[in-house]
């Protein structure tokens, strides 16, 4: 059975939904327009889903409504209950679902090709469709197993430290070569063993690519898996002859790849090494734990309040510790009090702060921090030399000068904030015993102008606000 071209109105509807998806991505590029971007995305998806249901005999109306109700209900409950600190692992979990959906669609197309209109006159699946099917199931399986590992690491259910297998690069390259070779052979022989071997090897390589990655590199992994999920959807769009899936998948895949490239530049990582897997792993292992005991100064909430009241400019650098403590709201309240007292307050956001791209931006937006007070690294880094106070709350790796000086450090070469140039540094963290996600000690702790504020970030900010108001 050959596939027939859809009616013109269907193509137009899919084109309109594609335009809405493009507008959604444009809106999501800025916190100020993110809500509008979300609405565009929802409208585009509604058009695409309704058009597909009208033009395809998928299931009965009660079954469709039931499936939408179940899926929508799970999504609604998840969105209501999920903590902002758990957002990175939620995103990884969603990526895994996209990957598994691609695997299931490819499997359904292989087992029942007639229903998908991909059977040629000779009774076999079209060679082109076999390529699309092979690529779709390979990318989908890689996305699924890779996202599951990322979820387990981000959720703390699996060690975040890299797990290095002997000859892992040889194994990875060999497995990828075998997958590509089998996809090529699949075009001339559609035996079931070939299809299921591709599937099994793809699940395996997804696991092997992500398990060696740890430390501060996880935000790039989340972004890259996002890209993989898009390409999996696009490949399945070709199999299903669905223009909307092709457009959406290409948009997600390309935007995820571009974001990964931007983040790699921000971390001074090689883009190719991200795709290969295990980037930065050897260094992360050798990074070790905190160094020997060195003299440091402990400060109090009263010290921080007094010094910031006397300051002309304060730059706040938030990190994952702020997210864990849910301190963004009281932090914004602290900044508001300082601004009322005539102090200039700005927020400095590193591209890889937190556990996923834009993590800190989302938290600050949730706390209603004005967008014009939030600055990216390249826009504000030069201002630390003139700043009276650098207030670091829960960040570590992104302010570590070892990235500029220590060639043995796992974060060497990563652009970091020049907080060491500020006149006074307040560093909020739970204890001196902990090190950052990359497992590296920080010389900023021991500088003459640094006062360590050792406490829960939310409790410390609450105490500072009380001291500012007295």
């Amino acid at each position: 059975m050959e596939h027939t071209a859809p009616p013109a109105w269907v193509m137009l509807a899919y084109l309109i939904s594609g335009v809405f998806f493009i507008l959604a991505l444009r809106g999501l590029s800025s916190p100020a327009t993110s809500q509008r971007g979300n609405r565009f995305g929802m409208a585009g998806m509604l058009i695409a889903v309704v058009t597909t249901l009208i033009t395809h005999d998928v299931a009965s109306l009660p079954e469709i409504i039931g499936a939408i109700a179940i899926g929508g209900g799970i999504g609604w409950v998840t969105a209501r209950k999920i903590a902002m600190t758990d957002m990175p692992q939620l995103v990884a979990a969603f990526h895994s679902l996209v990957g598994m959906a691609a695997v299931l669609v490819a499997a359904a197309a292989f087992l029942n090709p007639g229903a998908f209109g991909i059977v040629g006159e000779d009774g076999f699946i079209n060679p082109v469709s076999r390529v699309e099917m092979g690529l779709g199931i390979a990318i989908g399986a890689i996305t699924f197993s890779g996202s599951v590992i990322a979820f387990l690491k981000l959720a703390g259910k699996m060690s975040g430290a890299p797990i290095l297998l002997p000859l892992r690069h040889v194994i990875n390259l060999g497995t990828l070569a075998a997958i590509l070779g089998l996809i090529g052979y699949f075009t001339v022989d559609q035996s079931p063993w070939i299809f299921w071997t591709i599937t099994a090897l793809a699940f395996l390589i997804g696991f092997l690519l992500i398990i060696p990655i740890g430390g501060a590199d996880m935000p790039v992994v989340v972004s890259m898996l996002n890209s993989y999920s898009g390409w999996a959807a696009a490949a399945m769009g070709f199999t299903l002859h669905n223009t909307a899936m092709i457009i959406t998948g290409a948009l997600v895949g390309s935007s995820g790849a571009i974001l990964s490239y931007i983040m790699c530049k921000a971390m001074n990582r090689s883009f190719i090494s991200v795709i290969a897997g295990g980037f930065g792993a050897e260094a992360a292992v050798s990074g070790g734990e905190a160094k020997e005991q060195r003299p440091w100064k402990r400060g109090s909430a009263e010290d921080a309040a007094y010094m910031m009241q006397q300051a002309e400019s304060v730059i706040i650098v938030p990190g994952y510790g702020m997210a864990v403590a849910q301190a963004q709201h009281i932090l914004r309240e602290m900044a508001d009090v300082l601004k009322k007292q005539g102090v200039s307050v700005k927020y400095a956001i590193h591209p890889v702060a937190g556990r996923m791209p834009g993590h800190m931006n989302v938290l600050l937006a949730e706390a209603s921090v004005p967008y014009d007070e939030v600055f990216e690294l390249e826009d504000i880094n030069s201002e630390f030399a003139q700043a009276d106070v650098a207030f670091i709350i829960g960040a570590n790796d992104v302010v570590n000068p070892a990235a500029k000086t220590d060639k043995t450090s796992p974060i060497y070469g990563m652009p970091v904030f020049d907080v060491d140039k500020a006149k006074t540094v307040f560093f909020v963290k739970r204890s001196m015993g902990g090190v950052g996600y990359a497992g590296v000690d920080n010389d900023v702790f021991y500088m003459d102008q640094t006062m360590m504020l050792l406490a829960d970030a939310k409790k410390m900010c609450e105490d500072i606000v009380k001291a500012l108001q007295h």
Side-chain angles (χ1 to χ4, degrees), residues 320-342:
Y320 187 65
M322 181 195 76
V324 172
Q326 292 285 291
Q328 62 269 26
H329 295 280
I330 189 65
L331 179 68
R332 192 259 308 154
E333 186 178 336
M334 182 190 84
D336 288 345
V337 174
L338 288 171
K339 286 187 291 183
K340 287 179 182 178
Q341 297 179 3

Side-chain angles (χ1 to χ4, degrees), residues 16 31 127 155 235 288 349 384:
I16 292 172
I349 306 295
F384 280 99

Side-chain angles (χ1 to χ4, degrees), residues 296-380:
W296 53 277
K297 290 186 290 187
R298 182 165 190 160
S300 65
E302 290 72 20
D303 295 329
Y306 176 78
M307 293 297 293
M308 287 193 286
Q309 279 179 318
Q310 306 305 312
E312 291 184 7
S313 63
V314 173
I315 300 178
I316 299 171
V317 184
Y320 187 65
M322 181 195 76
V324 172
Q326 292 285 291
Q328 62 269 26
H329 295 280
I330 189 65
L331 179 68
R332 192 259 308 154
E333 186 178 336
M334 182 190 84
D336 288 345
V337 174
L338 288 171
K339 286 187 291 183
K340 287 179 182 178
Q341 297 179 3
V343 181
S344 169
V345 179
K346 296 180 179 179
Y347 298 81
I349 306 295
H350 196 280
V352 295
R355 294 293 183 268
M356 72 174 187
H359 197 182
M360 293 301 105
N361 302 76
V362 170
L363 290 173
L364 295 181
E366 182 201 18
S368 301
V369 171
Y371 303 132
D372 58 359
E373 293 179 6
V374 180
F375 296 87
E376 300 295 333
L377 182 143
E378 62 271 14
D379 298 323
I380 199 172

Side-chain angles (χ1 to χ4, degrees), residues 76-93:
W76 186 84
V77 171
T78 302
R80 296 283 295 178
K81 289 190 172 184
I82 194 71
M84 291 304 296
T85 48
D86 296 335
M87 195 59 67
Q89 49 263 43
L90 177 66
V91 171

Side-chain angles (χ1 to χ4, degrees), residues 175-409:
T175 307
L176 286 171
I179 291 171
L180 294 174
L182 285 170
I183 291 174
Y185 185 53
F186 190 51
T187 60
V188 296
D189 183 354
Q190 65 175 58
S191 299
W193 74 266
I194 302 174
F195 180 83
W196 298 116
T197 302
I198 293 171
T199 307
L201 289 176
F203 278 124
L204 176 64
I205 194 64
F207 173 82
L208 293 174
L209 285 174
I210 306 303
I211 201 168
I213 301 173
D217 296 329
M218 284 309 293
V220 188
V221 173
V222 174
S223 176
M224 202 66 217
L225 289 169
N226 175 51
S227 179
Y228 290 166
S229 69
W231 298 126
M236 286 301 94
F238 283 104
T239 299
L240 295 173
H241 306 288
N242 190 302
T243 308
M245 278 189 71
I246 297 171
I247 294 173
T248 308
L251 286 172
V252 173
S254 56
S255 60
I258 292 169
L259 178 59
S260 299
Y261 175 74
I262 292 171
M263 295 183 70
C264 284
K265 286 187 66 178
M267 298 178 69
N268 197 36
R269 302 294 193 198
S270 164
F271 185 68
I272 299 300
S273 67
V274 179
I275 301 172
F279 56 104
E282 292 90 353
V285 172
S286 64
E289 297 298 326
K291 298 177 183 177
E292 69 277 3
Q293 291 294 319
R294 296 156 63 184
W296 53 277
K297 290 186 290 187
R298 182 165 190 160
S300 65
E302 290 72 20
D303 295 329
Y306 176 78
M307 293 297 293
M308 287 193 286
Q309 279 179 318
Q310 306 305 312
E312 291 184 7
S313 63
V314 173
I315 300 178
I316 299 171
V317 184
Y320 187 65
M322 181 195 76
V324 172
Q326 292 285 291
Q328 62 269 26
H329 295 280
I330 189 65
L331 179 68
R332 192 259 308 154
E333 186 178 336
M334 182 190 84
D336 288 345
V337 174
L338 288 171
K339 286 187 291 183
K340 287 179 182 178
Q341 297 179 3
V343 181
S344 169
V345 179
K346 296 180 179 179
Y347 298 81
I349 306 295
H350 196 280
V352 295
R355 294 293 183 268
M356 72 174 187
H359 197 182
M360 293 301 105
N361 302 76
V362 170
L363 290 173
L364 295 181
E366 182 201 18
S368 301
V369 171
Y371 303 132
D372 58 359
E373 293 179 6
V374 180
F375 296 87
E376 300 295 333
L377 182 143
E378 62 271 14
D379 298 323
I380 199 172
N381 212 18
S382 61
E383 297 187 25
F384 280 99
Q386 290 79 45
D388 294 306
V389 174
F391 187 84
I392 305 164
I393 175 167
N396 194 340
D397 299 328
V398 299
V399 298
N400 195 334
K404 298 180 285 185
T405 58
D406 185 1
K407 291 186 178 181
T408 65
S409 172

Side-chain angles (χ1 to χ4, degrees), residues 115-164:
F116 289 79
I118 56 176
V119 178
E121 295 179 359
D122 57 1
F124 293 98
I125 300 173
N126 297 324
V128 173
S129 296
R130 294 185 211 176
V131 174
E132 297 164 357
M133 194 184 302
L135 289 174
I137 201 163
I139 300 172
I142 290 171
T143 304
F144 174 78
S145 55
S147 297
V148 168
I149 297 300
F151 168 82
L152 293 174
K153 287 197 171 196
L154 290 166
K157 300 181 184 300
M158 178 180 181
S159 173
I163 301 173
L164 306 182

